[in-house]
Amino acid sequence: MSSNGRYDVIIIGSGAGGGTLALKLAPSGKKILLLERGDYVPREKDNWDPAAVNVKGKYQAKDVWSDAEGKPLHPHTNYYVGGNTKFYGAALFRLRKEDFGELRHHGGISPAWPITYDELEPYYTQAEQIYHVHGMRGEDPTDPRASAPYPHPPVSHEPRMQQLSEDFATQGLKPFHVPLGVMLDEKNRQASTCIRCETCDGFPCLVNAKSDAQVCAVDPAIKHPNVTLLTNAKVEQLLTDPSGRHVSKVRVRRGDVVEEYSADFVVVSCGAINSAALLLRSANGKHPRGLGNSSDTVGRHYMGHVNSVLMALAKCPNPTIFQKTLGVNDFYFGSREWEFPMGHISFVGKLDGVTLKAGAPPIAPGWTLDLMGKHSIDFWLTSEDLPDPNNRVTLDPKGNIVLSYKPNNEEGHKRLIKKLEALMQQQRKCDMHGHECHQGLFSRNLFVGQRIPLAGVAHQNGTIRFGNDSKTSALDRNCKAHDLENLYVVDASFFPSSGAVNPALTIMANALRVGDRILERL
Ligand SMILES: Cc1cc2nc3c(=O)[nH]c(=O)nc-3n(C[C@H](O)[C@H](O)[C@H](O)COP(=O)(O)OP(=O)(O)OC[C@H]3O[C@@H](n4cnc5c(N)ncnc54)[C@H](O)[C@@H]3O)c2cc1C
Ligand code: SF4
């Protein structure tokens, strides 16, 4: 084992949290080491090939985890510079102001955060700048206050999405343009980095036009001579000094070689599941239940959102290329008939026959997968799941990840699906095709829905929650471990509740906030 020098800060993981923090700390001139278990996503034509990406899972992590019953779980997650943002759909939402307070759901209580929306607001604004967010303030009725306009205009709807948006508006809803992190210049398409293609959500961007953490944060951070990135560097364990109050060494495997690094501050940002696993693997005499786990909360309260894809199969084709532009939050906090939060409606990237093969949805009678892909409008519905201490990450005797999860708070989600189906049944006649464009081929509308399974850990969060009470949380309000002086966590682990919008912008904003706290101590 070799010992490889001392740094001011070591950041473990280069995704939404770790990559953004590296960018924040880089101008300080302090010696920063960014450790990433993966490599760069290779730039190749397969980046945009649905068969390579979705059917063969070419870029998916090769880890095998297990569920509570010991069944193997092949997690849909990605280990690369930039983390899962290399593959994300770049829908960059702020949590709602109310998400920071306690909210009563049908299935129980969504607990309050130890910080308010107002404390995070300036950092949301910074994150929107760094990640080139395109959007339109004031359209989404649930949007919180913002201190600045979006840095870029909203991404326009293609005709079918525009029509759907107008139909929703006619039905009394307030559809909005989804805030998106893509480097698209619609006024000058010739010069635009983003070409607005159909292989965005779930795919790496071949032309580096997606606002991911590699392009927007890690690449500019490592231009600073004081920032070093080591790829293919998997952190296996954190060691403490004899007092147990400081992380003294970071043990890293690089191929066959194990190395140790040390720093004044160590920041864990491996993604919510891997970060919890790393702390559990780092148990020692002073931390018998896992590092920083005197509260016994590390690994617990796993949340991943209650997510569904709902395909509305329509009479006429849906030629949309870039489908993720439209959202509806009118039922986020409930409806006239239902007093509890239901969630968020938006879209996945346009599904095609090849991709559908990988997901194997139930085939509608008389349809092929290709035909379904050509005619479907592909909704993404997200509802909040609640932090249950028994939904948790543990380790098997070999140190491999076990993810135990029992769904909760499902009633609101089921009602959200029903609500959307009812809305789609009532669509007006289509100007483009002269018939009920959004309605099904049959007399009744046809929907094919699929809940995202446990392996779909894209929105993982909550496993190392922050809070004011060291008995019920592992991190303090600044995301420093209650039990240690120099250990921070900045990935999605810190969420005490998950809200029902996509998590990445909140992770990025919080990393910027924590960055300020670390800078004060450097
Ligand atoms: C297909 C897909 C679509 C998505 N779409 C959206 C979207 O539209 N909007 C949105 O807000 N969110 C979206 N998400 C979720 C979003 O990508 C994540 O919430 C976000 O990336 C999580 O950030 P993180 O910092 O917690 O972890 P990650 O971004 O996953 O980063 C963790 C990093 O740590 C590295 N790592 C792990 N273990 C170790 C170790 N032991 N040693 C060293 N390095 C390690 C990993 O390789 C990775 O690079 C999507 C995710 C996926 C997969
Ligand atoms: S839509 Fe734009 S950002 Fe997304 S993959 Fe295509 S070119 Fe890249």
Side-chain angles (χ1 to χ4, degrees), residues 47-48 86 88-90 181-184 192-201 203-211 321-322:
N47 288 177
W48 278 349
K86 288 305 292 176
Y88 75 169
V182 290
M183 295 172 218
L184 175 67
S192 173
T193 320
C194 170
I195 60 164
R196 197 177 171 133
C197 67
E198 69 273 50
T199 44
C200 192
D201 191 6
F203 297 79
C205 179
L206 182 52
V207 295
N208 280 339
K210 192 193 284 191
S211 303
I321 291 171
F322 188 85

Side-chain angles (χ1 to χ4, degrees), residues 32 66 68 82 101 103 108-109 159 184 189 194 254 262 271 320 326 356 361 370 375 385 391 403 438 443 483 508:
I32 293 154
S66 56
L103 275 176
I109 295 293
L184 175 67
R189 289 293 287 269
C194 170
R254 299 178 70 203
S262 54
T320 306
L326 179 62
L356 289 174
D370 279 337
H375 285 253
D385 57 347
N391 287 345
L403 185 59
H438 305 307
S443 52
D483 298 343
M508 294 157 177

Side-chain angles (χ1 to χ4, degrees), residues 62 77 151 251 294 341 480:
K62 304 294 175 261
T77 194
R251 190 166 283 166
S294 63
K480 182 187 83 62

Side-chain angles (χ1 to χ4, degrees), residues 96-111:
R96 318 292 89 178
K97 186 181 169 77
E98 296 83 346
D99 288 322
F100 289 76
E102 183 176 291
L103 275 176
R104 203 163 61 89
H105 285 249
H106 180 258
I109 295 293
S110 163

Side-chain angles (χ1 to χ4, degrees), residues 2 43 104 158 189 192 227 233 262 269 271 284 286 342 402 445 486 509:
S2 62
R43 288 191 71 205
R104 203 163 61 89
E158 287 170 49
R189 289 293 287 269
S192 173
V227 181
S262 54
S269 193
N284 62 27
K286 294 277 179 195
M342 291 157 90
V402 179
N445 214 343
N486 69 340

